[in-house]
Amino acid sequence: MSFGDILYIIAVFLFAYITFGIVRGYFKSKFDDEGRRIDMIDDEDKEGKKD
């Protein structure tokens, strides 16, 4: 393998790792711990149900 091939393989793995990190961070910011979308939760659920 030439130096260019090794550099290309490293660049591909780095690109995949960074892309995975960006996507994972995006979805973590959109969903709460229970798996519900944060922007779809009713106002009552955010404040806690008042009986």
mmCIF file of all heavy atoms in Angstrom:
data_model
loop_
_atom_site.group_PDB
_atom_site.id
_atom_site.type_symbol
_atom_site.label_atom_id
_atom_site.label_comp_id
_atom_site.label_asym_id
_atom_site.label_seq_id
_atom_site.Cartn_x
_atom_site.Cartn_y
_atom_site.Cartn_z
ATOM 1 N N MET A 1 0.846 -1.187 0.000
ATOM 2 C CA MET A 1 0.000 0.000 0.000
ATOM 3 C C MET A 1 0.883 1.239 0.000
ATOM 4 O O MET A 1 1.861 1.309 0.741
ATOM 5 C CB MET A 1 -0.866 0.043 1.256
ATOM 6 C CG MET A 1 -1.982 -0.961 1.313
ATOM 7 S SD MET A 1 -2.909 -0.745 2.834
ATOM 8 C CE MET A 1 -4.467 -0.287 2.179
ATOM 9 N N SER A 2 0.455 2.183 -0.757
ATOM 10 C CA SER A 2 1.208 3.432 -0.786
ATOM 11 C C SER A 2 0.726 4.359 0.340
ATOM 12 O O SER A 2 -0.285 4.110 0.994
ATOM 13 C CB SER A 2 1.030 4.126 -2.139
ATOM 14 O OG SER A 2 -0.303 4.563 -2.275
ATOM 15 N N PHE A 3 1.473 5.418 0.543
ATOM 16 C CA PHE A 3 1.129 6.375 1.597
ATOM 17 C C PHE A 3 -0.224 7.019 1.327
ATOM 18 O O PHE A 3 -1.005 7.269 2.244
ATOM 19 C CB PHE A 3 2.228 7.439 1.691
ATOM 20 C CG PHE A 3 1.945 8.472 2.734
ATOM 21 C CD1 PHE A 3 2.018 8.158 4.079
ATOM 22 C CD2 PHE A 3 1.589 9.760 2.363
ATOM 23 C CE1 PHE A 3 1.762 9.107 5.050
ATOM 24 C CE2 PHE A 3 1.321 10.716 3.324
ATOM 25 C CZ PHE A 3 1.411 10.395 4.668
ATOM 26 N N GLY A 4 -0.543 7.269 0.080
ATOM 27 C CA GLY A 4 -1.827 7.879 -0.289
ATOM 28 C C GLY A 4 -3.003 6.982 0.058
ATOM 29 O O GLY A 4 -4.050 7.462 0.494
ATOM 30 N N ASP A 5 -2.842 5.674 -0.152
ATOM 31 C CA ASP A 5 -3.910 4.732 0.197
ATOM 32 C C ASP A 5 -4.175 4.714 1.697
ATOM 33 O O ASP A 5 -5.325 4.705 2.141
ATOM 34 C CB ASP A 5 -3.550 3.325 -0.271
ATOM 35 C CG ASP A 5 -3.530 3.187 -1.781
ATOM 36 O OD1 ASP A 5 -4.124 4.047 -2.471
ATOM 37 O OD2 ASP A 5 -2.913 2.216 -2.273
ATOM 38 N N ILE A 6 -3.113 4.705 2.475
ATOM 39 C CA ILE A 6 -3.255 4.698 3.932
ATOM 40 C C ILE A 6 -3.919 5.996 4.399
ATOM 41 O O ILE A 6 -4.820 5.983 5.240
ATOM 42 C CB ILE A 6 -1.887 4.507 4.614
ATOM 43 C CG1 ILE A 6 -1.343 3.119 4.272
ATOM 44 C CG2 ILE A 6 -1.987 4.690 6.115
ATOM 45 C CD1 ILE A 6 0.095 2.900 4.687
ATOM 46 N N LEU A 7 -3.510 7.105 3.834
ATOM 47 C CA LEU A 7 -4.107 8.395 4.182
ATOM 48 C C LEU A 7 -5.588 8.429 3.805
ATOM 49 O O LEU A 7 -6.414 8.956 4.560
ATOM 50 C CB LEU A 7 -3.347 9.514 3.473
ATOM 51 C CG LEU A 7 -3.644 10.930 3.908
ATOM 52 C CD1 LEU A 7 -3.287 11.105 5.376
ATOM 53 C CD2 LEU A 7 -2.862 11.912 3.063
ATOM 54 N N TYR A 8 -5.941 7.853 2.669
ATOM 55 C CA TYR A 8 -7.335 7.801 2.230
ATOM 56 C C TYR A 8 -8.180 6.973 3.199
ATOM 57 O O TYR A 8 -9.289 7.370 3.570
ATOM 58 C CB TYR A 8 -7.400 7.209 0.821
ATOM 59 C CG TYR A 8 -8.802 7.081 0.285
ATOM 60 C CD1 TYR A 8 -9.498 8.193 -0.172
ATOM 61 C CD2 TYR A 8 -9.435 5.835 0.240
ATOM 62 C CE1 TYR A 8 -10.784 8.081 -0.658
ATOM 63 C CE2 TYR A 8 -10.723 5.715 -0.246
ATOM 64 C CZ TYR A 8 -11.400 6.847 -0.692
ATOM 65 O OH TYR A 8 -12.675 6.727 -1.163
ATOM 66 N N ILE A 9 -7.682 5.821 3.630
ATOM 67 C CA ILE A 9 -8.416 4.961 4.557
ATOM 68 C C ILE A 9 -8.619 5.672 5.896
ATOM 69 O O ILE A 9 -9.704 5.636 6.477
ATOM 70 C CB ILE A 9 -7.690 3.619 4.729
ATOM 71 C CG1 ILE A 9 -7.776 2.821 3.430
ATOM 72 C CG2 ILE A 9 -8.266 2.824 5.888
ATOM 73 C CD1 ILE A 9 -6.900 1.591 3.397
ATOM 74 N N ILE A 10 -7.589 6.353 6.374
ATOM 75 C CA ILE A 10 -7.713 7.104 7.621
ATOM 76 C C ILE A 10 -8.759 8.204 7.479
ATOM 77 O O ILE A 10 -9.577 8.425 8.378
ATOM 78 C CB ILE A 10 -6.340 7.678 8.035
ATOM 79 C CG1 ILE A 10 -5.411 6.545 8.462
ATOM 80 C CG2 ILE A 10 -6.491 8.692 9.161
ATOM 81 C CD1 ILE A 10 -3.975 6.983 8.684
ATOM 82 N N ALA A 11 -8.765 8.889 6.353
ATOM 83 C CA ALA A 11 -9.731 9.963 6.119
ATOM 84 C C ALA A 11 -11.163 9.425 6.080
ATOM 85 O O ALA A 11 -12.079 10.052 6.617
ATOM 86 C CB ALA A 11 -9.406 10.692 4.816
ATOM 87 N N VAL A 12 -11.377 8.265 5.485
ATOM 88 C CA VAL A 12 -12.717 7.673 5.419
ATOM 89 C C VAL A 12 -13.206 7.296 6.813
ATOM 90 O O VAL A 12 -14.345 7.575 7.177
ATOM 91 C CB VAL A 12 -12.729 6.450 4.472
ATOM 92 C CG1 VAL A 12 -14.013 5.663 4.612
ATOM 93 C CG2 VAL A 12 -12.531 6.894 3.032
ATOM 94 N N PHE A 13 -12.351 6.664 7.601
ATOM 95 C CA PHE A 13 -12.746 6.302 8.968
ATOM 96 C C PHE A 13 -13.012 7.539 9.820
ATOM 97 O O PHE A 13 -13.964 7.579 10.601
ATOM 98 C CB PHE A 13 -11.681 5.429 9.632
ATOM 99 C CG PHE A 13 -11.783 3.989 9.244
ATOM 100 C CD1 PHE A 13 -10.781 3.393 8.497
ATOM 101 C CD2 PHE A 13 -12.882 3.217 9.610
ATOM 102 C CE1 PHE A 13 -10.867 2.060 8.125
ATOM 103 C CE2 PHE A 13 -12.970 1.889 9.247
ATOM 104 C CZ PHE A 13 -11.968 1.305 8.501
ATOM 105 N N LEU A 14 -12.201 8.561 9.676
ATOM 106 C CA LEU A 14 -12.409 9.792 10.421
ATOM 107 C C LEU A 14 -13.719 10.468 10.023
ATOM 108 O O LEU A 14 -14.473 10.943 10.875
ATOM 109 C CB LEU A 14 -11.225 10.737 10.197
ATOM 110 C CG LEU A 14 -11.189 12.009 11.023
ATOM 111 C CD1 LEU A 14 -11.102 11.664 12.507
ATOM 112 C CD2 LEU A 14 -10.013 12.864 10.618
ATOM 113 N N PHE A 15 -14.016 10.489 8.747
ATOM 114 C CA PHE A 15 -15.273 11.064 8.258
ATOM 115 C C PHE A 15 -16.468 10.304 8.824
ATOM 116 O O PHE A 15 -17.445 10.915 9.286
ATOM 117 C CB PHE A 15 -15.302 11.021 6.725
ATOM 118 C CG PHE A 15 -16.615 11.468 6.146
ATOM 119 C CD1 PHE A 15 -16.943 12.810 6.091
ATOM 120 C CD2 PHE A 15 -17.522 10.540 5.658
ATOM 121 C CE1 PHE A 15 -18.152 13.219 5.554
ATOM 122 C CE2 PHE A 15 -18.723 10.930 5.125
ATOM 123 C CZ PHE A 15 -19.043 12.278 5.071
ATOM 124 N N ALA A 16 -16.412 8.969 8.822
ATOM 125 C CA ALA A 16 -17.519 8.167 9.349
ATOM 126 C C ALA A 16 -17.693 8.394 10.844
ATOM 127 O O ALA A 16 -18.818 8.517 11.339
ATOM 128 C CB ALA A 16 -17.272 6.691 9.059
ATOM 129 N N TYR A 17 -16.604 8.478 11.597
ATOM 130 C CA TYR A 17 -16.665 8.685 13.039
ATOM 131 C C TYR A 17 -17.272 10.048 13.371
ATOM 132 O O TYR A 17 -18.138 10.163 14.240
ATOM 133 C CB TYR A 17 -15.258 8.565 13.624
ATOM 134 C CG TYR A 17 -15.204 8.729 15.114
ATOM 135 C CD1 TYR A 17 -15.636 7.722 15.960
ATOM 136 C CD2 TYR A 17 -14.715 9.909 15.678
ATOM 137 C CE1 TYR A 17 -15.583 7.872 17.343
ATOM 138 C CE2 TYR A 17 -14.656 10.068 17.042
ATOM 139 C CZ TYR A 17 -15.095 9.049 17.871
ATOM 140 O OH TYR A 17 -15.050 9.208 19.230
ATOM 141 N N ILE A 18 -16.833 11.091 12.687
ATOM 142 C CA ILE A 18 -17.353 12.435 12.938
ATOM 143 C C ILE A 18 -18.825 12.516 12.545
ATOM 144 O O ILE A 18 -19.643 13.107 13.262
ATOM 145 C CB ILE A 18 -16.511 13.488 12.189
ATOM 146 C CG1 ILE A 18 -15.129 13.573 12.821
ATOM 147 C CG2 ILE A 18 -17.190 14.840 12.186
ATOM 148 C CD1 ILE A 18 -14.154 14.444 12.063
ATOM 149 N N THR A 19 -19.205 11.926 11.415
ATOM 150 C CA THR A 19 -20.597 11.936 10.982
ATOM 151 C C THR A 19 -21.486 11.217 11.984
ATOM 152 O O THR A 19 -22.568 11.701 12.332
ATOM 153 C CB THR A 19 -20.732 11.282 9.595
ATOM 154 O OG1 THR A 19 -19.878 11.978 8.676
ATOM 155 C CG2 THR A 19 -22.155 11.322 9.097
ATOM 156 N N PHE A 20 -21.047 10.068 12.481
ATOM 157 C CA PHE A 20 -21.809 9.332 13.484
ATOM 158 C C PHE A 20 -21.980 10.172 14.746
ATOM 159 O O PHE A 20 -23.055 10.217 15.341
ATOM 160 C CB PHE A 20 -21.110 8.016 13.816
ATOM 161 C CG PHE A 20 -21.800 7.215 14.868
ATOM 162 C CD1 PHE A 20 -22.967 6.524 14.583
ATOM 163 C CD2 PHE A 20 -21.302 7.170 16.153
ATOM 164 C CE1 PHE A 20 -23.613 5.788 15.561
ATOM 165 C CE2 PHE A 20 -21.929 6.434 17.141
ATOM 166 C CZ PHE A 20 -23.099 5.749 16.845
ATOM 167 N N GLY A 21 -20.948 10.865 15.164
ATOM 168 C CA GLY A 21 -21.031 11.718 16.350
ATOM 169 C C GLY A 21 -22.001 12.865 16.177
ATOM 170 O O GLY A 21 -22.753 13.198 17.092
ATOM 171 N N ILE A 22 -22.025 13.470 15.006
ATOM 172 C CA ILE A 22 -22.944 14.574 14.739
ATOM 173 C C ILE A 22 -24.385 14.081 14.753
ATOM 174 O O ILE A 22 -25.266 14.698 15.361
ATOM 175 C CB ILE A 22 -22.602 15.253 13.399
ATOM 176 C CG1 ILE A 22 -21.280 16.000 13.523
ATOM 177 C CG2 ILE A 22 -23.712 16.186 12.946
ATOM 178 C CD1 ILE A 22 -20.734 16.505 12.198
ATOM 179 N N VAL A 23 -24.660 12.969 14.098
ATOM 180 C CA VAL A 23 -26.021 12.423 14.046
ATOM 181 C C VAL A 23 -26.481 12.001 15.436
ATOM 182 O O VAL A 23 -27.618 12.268 15.840
ATOM 183 C CB VAL A 23 -26.099 11.250 13.042
ATOM 184 C CG1 VAL A 23 -27.426 10.534 13.135
ATOM 185 C CG2 VAL A 23 -25.865 11.751 11.628
ATOM 186 N N ARG A 24 -25.610 11.360 16.203
ATOM 187 C CA ARG A 24 -25.968 10.925 17.556
ATOM 188 C C ARG A 24 -26.279 12.127 18.446
ATOM 189 O O ARG A 24 -27.258 12.126 19.186
ATOM 190 C CB ARG A 24 -24.836 10.112 18.157
ATOM 191 C CG ARG A 24 -25.185 9.546 19.522
ATOM 192 C CD ARG A 24 -24.078 8.744 20.087
ATOM 193 N NE ARG A 24 -22.878 9.593 20.172
ATOM 194 C CZ ARG A 24 -21.708 9.183 20.578
ATOM 195 N NH1 ARG A 24 -21.521 7.930 20.900
ATOM 196 N NH2 ARG A 24 -20.693 10.009 20.641
ATOM 197 N N GLY A 25 -25.489 13.179 18.354
ATOM 198 C CA GLY A 25 -25.738 14.390 19.131
ATOM 199 C C GLY A 25 -27.032 15.069 18.745
ATOM 200 O O GLY A 25 -27.754 15.598 19.589
ATOM 201 N N TYR A 26 -27.349 15.062 17.454
ATOM 202 C CA TYR A 26 -28.593 15.662 16.974
ATOM 203 C C TYR A 26 -29.798 14.927 17.557
ATOM 204 O O TYR A 26 -30.732 15.559 18.057
ATOM 205 C CB TYR A 26 -28.633 15.614 15.447
ATOM 206 C CG TYR A 26 -29.941 16.083 14.868
ATOM 207 C CD1 TYR A 26 -30.243 17.435 14.803
ATOM 208 C CD2 TYR A 26 -30.875 15.175 14.383
ATOM 209 C CE1 TYR A 26 -31.448 17.866 14.267
ATOM 210 C CE2 TYR A 26 -32.073 15.593 13.863
ATOM 211 C CZ TYR A 26 -32.358 16.941 13.797
ATOM 212 O OH TYR A 26 -33.551 17.356 13.284
ATOM 213 N N PHE A 27 -29.785 13.606 17.510
ATOM 214 C CA PHE A 27 -30.921 12.851 18.020
ATOM 215 C C PHE A 27 -31.012 12.920 19.541
ATOM 216 O O PHE A 27 -32.101 12.906 20.098
ATOM 217 C CB PHE A 27 -30.882 11.399 17.550
ATOM 218 C CG PHE A 27 -31.425 11.237 16.160
ATOM 219 C CD1 PHE A 27 -30.577 11.063 15.085
ATOM 220 C CD2 PHE A 27 -32.787 11.284 15.926
ATOM 221 C CE1 PHE A 27 -31.068 10.942 13.803
ATOM 222 C CE2 PHE A 27 -33.296 11.168 14.652
ATOM 223 C CZ PHE A 27 -32.437 10.989 13.584
ATOM 224 N N LYS A 28 -29.886 13.007 20.232
ATOM 225 C CA LYS A 28 -29.923 13.151 21.698
ATOM 226 C C LYS A 28 -30.561 14.478 22.085
ATOM 227 O O LYS A 28 -31.213 14.577 23.110
ATOM 228 C CB LYS A 28 -28.531 13.059 22.288
ATOM 229 C CG LYS A 28 -28.069 11.662 22.519
ATOM 230 C CD LYS A 28 -26.770 11.665 23.296
ATOM 231 C CE LYS A 28 -26.418 10.275 23.736
ATOM 232 N NZ LYS A 28 -25.200 10.258 24.540
ATOM 233 N N SER A 29 -30.367 15.512 21.277
ATOM 234 C CA SER A 29 -30.945 16.812 21.600
ATOM 235 C C SER A 29 -32.430 16.881 21.264
ATOM 236 O O SER A 29 -33.138 17.736 21.780
ATOM 237 C CB SER A 29 -30.201 17.926 20.865
ATOM 238 O OG SER A 29 -30.470 17.893 19.478
ATOM 239 N N LYS A 30 -32.930 15.992 20.427
ATOM 240 C CA LYS A 30 -34.331 16.018 20.021
ATOM 241 C C LYS A 30 -35.228 15.125 20.862
ATOM 242 O O LYS A 30 -36.444 15.287 20.838
ATOM 243 C CB LYS A 30 -34.476 15.573 18.551
ATOM 244 C CG LYS A 30 -33.885 16.534 17.573
ATOM 245 C CD LYS A 30 -34.723 17.774 17.490
ATOM 246 C CE LYS A 30 -34.151 18.733 16.482
ATOM 247 N NZ LYS A 30 -34.859 19.989 16.446
ATOM 248 N N PHE A 31 -34.658 14.166 21.587
ATOM 249 C CA PHE A 31 -35.458 13.210 22.347
ATOM 250 C C PHE A 31 -35.084 13.270 23.822
ATOM 251 O O PHE A 31 -33.934 13.528 24.165
ATOM 252 C CB PHE A 31 -35.235 11.783 21.825
ATOM 253 C CG PHE A 31 -35.756 11.581 20.429
ATOM 254 C CD1 PHE A 31 -34.934 11.768 19.333
ATOM 255 C CD2 PHE A 31 -37.066 11.206 20.213
ATOM 256 C CE1 PHE A 31 -35.412 11.583 18.049
ATOM 257 C CE2 PHE A 31 -37.547 11.018 18.936
ATOM 258 C CZ PHE A 31 -36.722 11.216 17.850
ATOM 259 N N ASP A 32 -36.084 13.008 24.707
ATOM 260 C CA ASP A 32 -35.787 12.968 26.131
ATOM 261 C C ASP A 32 -35.343 11.555 26.524
ATOM 262 O O ASP A 32 -35.155 10.691 25.669
ATOM 263 C CB ASP A 32 -36.991 13.431 26.961
ATOM 264 C CG ASP A 32 -38.210 12.546 26.807
ATOM 265 O OD1 ASP A 32 -38.143 11.529 26.100
ATOM 266 O OD2 ASP A 32 -39.247 12.863 27.417
ATOM 267 N N ASP A 33 -35.180 11.323 27.832
ATOM 268 C CA ASP A 33 -34.674 10.031 28.297
ATOM 269 C C ASP A 33 -35.644 8.888 28.052
ATOM 270 O O ASP A 33 -35.235 7.728 27.990
ATOM 271 C CB ASP A 33 -34.360 10.104 29.794
ATOM 272 C CG ASP A 33 -33.184 11.027 30.070
ATOM 273 O OD1 ASP A 33 -32.371 11.223 29.141
ATOM 274 O OD2 ASP A 33 -33.098 11.551 31.188
ATOM 275 N N GLU A 34 -36.936 9.198 27.920
ATOM 276 C CA GLU A 34 -37.948 8.166 27.699
ATOM 277 C C GLU A 34 -38.190 7.894 26.221
ATOM 278 O O GLU A 34 -39.042 7.089 25.870
ATOM 279 C CB GLU A 34 -39.250 8.571 28.371
ATOM 280 C CG GLU A 34 -39.121 8.694 29.877
ATOM 281 C CD GLU A 34 -40.379 9.218 30.532
ATOM 282 O OE1 GLU A 34 -41.395 9.376 29.828
ATOM 283 O OE2 GLU A 34 -40.344 9.466 31.733
ATOM 284 N N GLY A 35 -37.485 8.580 25.349
ATOM 285 C CA GLY A 35 -37.612 8.346 23.919
ATOM 286 C C GLY A 35 -38.690 9.161 23.247
ATOM 287 O O GLY A 35 -39.018 8.930 22.087
ATOM 288 N N ARG A 36 -39.251 10.142 23.959
ATOM 289 C CA ARG A 36 -40.282 10.996 23.366
ATOM 290 C C ARG A 36 -39.626 12.250 22.805
ATOM 291 O O ARG A 36 -38.664 12.760 23.365
ATOM 292 C CB ARG A 36 -41.318 11.388 24.425
ATOM 293 C CG ARG A 36 -42.070 10.203 24.976
ATOM 294 C CD ARG A 36 -43.086 10.628 25.997
ATOM 295 N NE ARG A 36 -42.383 11.257 27.123
ATOM 296 C CZ ARG A 36 -42.988 11.849 28.143
ATOM 297 N NH1 ARG A 36 -44.296 11.904 28.192
ATOM 298 N NH2 ARG A 36 -42.283 12.390 29.122
ATOM 299 N N ARG A 37 -40.196 12.749 21.711
ATOM 300 C CA ARG A 37 -39.662 13.976 21.121
ATOM 301 C C ARG A 37 -39.932 15.148 22.048
ATOM 302 O O ARG A 37 -41.032 15.324 22.537
ATOM 303 C CB ARG A 37 -40.308 14.243 19.768
ATOM 304 C CG ARG A 37 -39.705 13.404 18.664
ATOM 305 C CD ARG A 37 -40.207 13.847 17.332
ATOM 306 N NE ARG A 37 -39.912 15.237 17.101
ATOM 307 C CZ ARG A 37 -39.147 15.688 16.101
ATOM 308 N NH1 ARG A 37 -38.640 14.850 15.268
ATOM 309 N NH2 ARG A 37 -38.938 16.967 15.949
ATOM 310 N N ILE A 38 -38.932 15.969 22.274
ATOM 311 C CA ILE A 38 -39.054 17.097 23.185
ATOM 312 C C ILE A 38 -40.040 18.122 22.652
ATOM 313 O O ILE A 38 -40.830 18.683 23.408
ATOM 314 C CB ILE A 38 -37.665 17.720 23.438
ATOM 315 C CG1 ILE A 38 -36.792 16.735 24.209
ATOM 316 C CG2 ILE A 38 -37.775 19.038 24.183
ATOM 317 C CD1 ILE A 38 -35.358 17.174 24.366
ATOM 318 N N ASP A 39 -40.049 18.376 21.344
ATOM 319 C CA ASP A 39 -40.942 19.393 20.798
ATOM 320 C C ASP A 39 -42.376 18.904 20.627
ATOM 321 O O ASP A 39 -43.256 19.697 20.318
ATOM 322 C CB ASP A 39 -40.402 19.923 19.473
ATOM 323 C CG ASP A 39 -40.208 18.836 18.436
ATOM 324 O OD1 ASP A 39 -40.284 17.649 18.799
ATOM 325 O OD2 ASP A 39 -39.973 19.165 17.269
ATOM 326 N N MET A 40 -42.648 17.630 20.871
ATOM 327 C CA MET A 40 -43.996 17.091 20.746
ATOM 328 C C MET A 40 -44.679 16.882 22.092
ATOM 329 O O MET A 40 -45.823 16.480 22.139
ATOM 330 C CB MET A 40 -43.972 15.752 20.002
ATOM 331 C CG MET A 40 -43.484 15.860 18.597
ATOM 332 S SD MET A 40 -44.665 16.761 17.618
ATOM 333 C CE MET A 40 -44.268 16.189 16.018
ATOM 334 N N ILE A 41 -43.980 17.149 23.199
ATOM 335 C CA ILE A 41 -44.555 16.947 24.519
ATOM 336 C C ILE A 41 -45.525 18.090 24.807
ATOM 337 O O ILE A 41 -45.231 19.259 24.570
ATOM 338 C CB ILE A 41 -43.450 16.898 25.588
ATOM 339 C CG1 ILE A 41 -42.523 15.710 25.334
ATOM 340 C CG2 ILE A 41 -44.035 16.819 26.981
ATOM 341 C CD1 ILE A 41 -41.317 15.672 26.256
ATOM 342 N N ASP A 42 -46.706 17.754 25.316
ATOM 343 C CA ASP A 42 -47.697 18.769 25.674
ATOM 344 C C ASP A 42 -47.177 19.633 26.811
ATOM 345 O O ASP A 42 -46.338 19.215 27.600
ATOM 346 C CB ASP A 42 -49.011 18.119 26.109
ATOM 347 C CG ASP A 42 -49.685 17.388 24.962
ATOM 348 O OD1 ASP A 42 -49.436 17.768 23.802
ATOM 349 O OD2 ASP A 42 -50.463 16.456 25.234
ATOM 350 N N ASP A 43 -47.723 20.839 26.934
ATOM 351 C CA ASP A 43 -47.305 21.738 28.003
ATOM 352 C C ASP A 43 -47.615 21.158 29.374
ATOM 353 O O ASP A 43 -46.872 21.371 30.323
ATOM 354 C CB ASP A 43 -47.996 23.089 27.858
ATOM 355 C CG ASP A 43 -47.481 23.860 26.648
ATOM 356 O OD1 ASP A 43 -46.331 23.590 26.235
ATOM 357 O OD2 ASP A 43 -48.204 24.718 26.122
ATOM 358 N N GLU A 44 -48.698 20.423 29.489
ATOM 359 C CA GLU A 44 -49.060 19.805 30.768
ATOM 360 C C GLU A 44 -48.004 18.781 31.188
ATOM 361 O O GLU A 44 -47.667 18.688 32.361
ATOM 362 C CB GLU A 44 -50.409 19.121 30.691
ATOM 363 C CG GLU A 44 -51.562 20.083 30.478
ATOM 364 C CD GLU A 44 -52.880 19.353 30.284
ATOM 365 O OE1 GLU A 44 -52.887 18.105 30.364
ATOM 366 O OE2 GLU A 44 -53.886 20.025 30.065
ATOM 367 N N ASP A 45 -47.503 18.040 30.246
ATOM 368 C CA ASP A 45 -46.489 17.025 30.551
ATOM 369 C C ASP A 45 -45.173 17.661 30.966
ATOM 370 O O ASP A 45 -44.439 17.125 31.784
ATOM 371 C CB ASP A 45 -46.263 16.099 29.355
ATOM 372 C CG ASP A 45 -47.460 15.207 29.078
ATOM 373 O OD1 ASP A 45 -48.275 15.016 30.003
ATOM 374 O OD2 ASP A 45 -47.573 14.711 27.952
ATOM 375 N N LYS A 46 -44.843 18.821 30.381
ATOM 376 C CA LYS A 46 -43.597 19.489 30.732
ATOM 377 C C LYS A 46 -43.637 19.983 32.178
ATOM 378 O O LYS A 46 -42.653 19.916 32.883
ATOM 379 C CB LYS A 46 -43.351 20.670 29.792
ATOM 380 C CG LYS A 46 -42.937 20.281 28.408
ATOM 381 C CD LYS A 46 -42.684 21.512 27.575
ATOM 382 C CE LYS A 46 -42.373 21.161 26.153
ATOM 383 N NZ LYS A 46 -42.240 22.334 25.304
ATOM 384 N N GLU A 47 -44.777 20.549 32.573
ATOM 385 C CA GLU A 47 -44.893 21.130 33.903
ATOM 386 C C GLU A 47 -45.220 20.082 34.960
ATOM 387 O O GLU A 47 -45.065 20.336 36.142
ATOM 388 C CB GLU A 47 -45.990 22.194 33.906
ATOM 389 C CG GLU A 47 -45.681 23.346 32.983
ATOM 390 C CD GLU A 47 -46.865 24.288 32.842
ATOM 391 O OE1 GLU A 47 -47.907 24.001 33.441
ATOM 392 O OE2 GLU A 47 -46.730 25.274 32.140
ATOM 393 N N GLY A 48 -45.655 18.930 34.555
ATOM 394 C CA GLY A 48 -46.105 17.923 35.506
ATOM 395 C C GLY A 48 -47.613 18.009 35.609
ATOM 396 O O GLY A 48 -48.189 19.098 35.601
ATOM 397 N N LYS A 49 -48.245 16.896 35.660
ATOM 398 C CA LYS A 49 -49.698 16.883 35.667
ATOM 399 C C LYS A 49 -50.219 17.370 37.012
ATOM 400 O O LYS A 49 -49.794 16.925 38.057
ATOM 401 C CB LYS A 49 -50.233 15.484 35.370
ATOM 402 C CG LYS A 49 -49.923 15.075 33.958
ATOM 403 C CD LYS A 49 -50.621 13.794 33.588
ATOM 404 C CE LYS A 49 -50.320 13.485 32.144
ATOM 405 N NZ LYS A 49 -51.042 12.344 31.663
ATOM 406 N N LYS A 50 -51.139 18.322 36.937
ATOM 407 C CA LYS A 50 -51.741 18.880 38.143
ATOM 408 C C LYS A 50 -53.133 18.280 38.313
ATOM 409 O O LYS A 50 -53.990 18.458 37.467
ATOM 410 C CB LYS A 50 -51.837 20.399 38.050
ATOM 411 C CG LYS A 50 -50.479 21.055 37.922
ATOM 412 C CD LYS A 50 -50.603 22.544 37.744
ATOM 413 C CE LYS A 50 -49.248 23.160 37.534
ATOM 414 N NZ LYS A 50 -49.329 24.578 37.239
ATOM 415 N N ASP A 51 -53.328 17.559 39.389
ATOM 416 C CA ASP A 51 -54.637 16.939 39.620
ATOM 417 C C ASP A 51 -55.465 17.754 40.578
ATOM 418 O O ASP A 51 -55.050 18.351 41.464
ATOM 419 C CB ASP A 51 -54.477 15.524 40.211
ATOM 420 C CG ASP A 51 -53.885 14.595 39.154
ATOM 421 O OD1 ASP A 51 -54.131 14.831 37.963
ATOM 422 O OD2 ASP A 51 -53.174 13.651 39.541
#
